[in-house]
Amino acid sequence: MSFFDLINPFSYVTPFHADGDATEESVVVAADAVEAEAIVIEQIEESNADEETEEEEEEEEEEEEEEEAEDKAPLIKEGCGETLACKSLKHHYDECAARVENGSSESCAEEFLHFMECVDHCAASKIFAQLK
């Protein structure tokens, strides 16, 4: 391409990339400015589509690598709630909840906290034993 072809604004378009540098591949030769603009837009759309597919592929690979283990804590806590030590506390909480449903103005917070303390005490050692 000669020097005169480079200075003619209707014979080429040099798009600049995000880093501000024009590359040799980005020079487009066209018969008029409209055709050059259409070619540049097409190239940009193609590069954006390529970037999107690359990003999607990277995300899929990351998801496959990051397979999270199932949280066993809720199952362990549920099992501890059924132990003999915690079962009586759950019974007291259930009785209190029934009284509240029947119109009592009391709060079952104390019964609930005692029950949860028992469950947490039972489950703590079992949960930490499951950690890697």
Side-chain angles (χ1 to χ4, degrees):
M1 187 179 290
S2 71
F3 173 75
F4 295 106
D5 290 334
L6 292 175
I7 61 170
N8 183 352
F10 298 107
S11 66
Y12 75 98
V13 174
T14 306
F16 286 89
H17 297 283
D19 58 3
D21 295 331
T23 61
E24 189 67 34
E25 296 173 355
S26 64
V27 176
V28 177
V29 178
D32 61 358
V34 176
E35 183 181 348
E37 183 178 354
I39 293 171
V40 170
I41 291 172
E42 185 178 308
Q43 288 177 346
I44 292 172
E45 288 174 352
E46 288 175 3
S47 67
N48 288 343
D50 291 342
E51 289 174 6
E52 288 176 4
T53 55
E54 288 175 6
E55 289 175 3
E56 290 174 2
E57 290 173 0
E58 290 175 6
E59 288 176 8
E60 289 175 5
E61 289 175 7
E62 289 176 6
E63 288 175 5
E64 291 173 1
E65 292 174 2
E66 294 179 4
E67 292 180 19
E68 293 185 22
E70 182 181 335
D71 186 14
K72 296 180 182 178
L75 295 174
I76 293 172
K77 287 183 177 184
E78 186 178 318
C80 284
E82 300 298 322
T83 61
L84 187 60
C86 297
K87 204 169 197 176
S88 64
L89 294 171
K90 182 167 176 21
H91 178 71
H92 287 294
Y93 171 70
D94 289 338
E95 285 180 347
C96 180
R99 287 192 303 268
V100 169
E101 286 180 7
N102 290 331
S104 176
S105 63
E106 68 180 305
S107 171
C108 298
E110 183 178 352
E111 288 85 354
F112 179 73
L113 291 174
H114 286 297
F115 172 64
M116 290 308 297
E117 181 182 9
C118 179
V119 169
D120 289 342
H121 180 72
C122 169
S125 61
K126 295 176 183 177
I127 292 172
F128 282 108
Q130 295 289 323
L131 295 177
K132 293 181 180 179

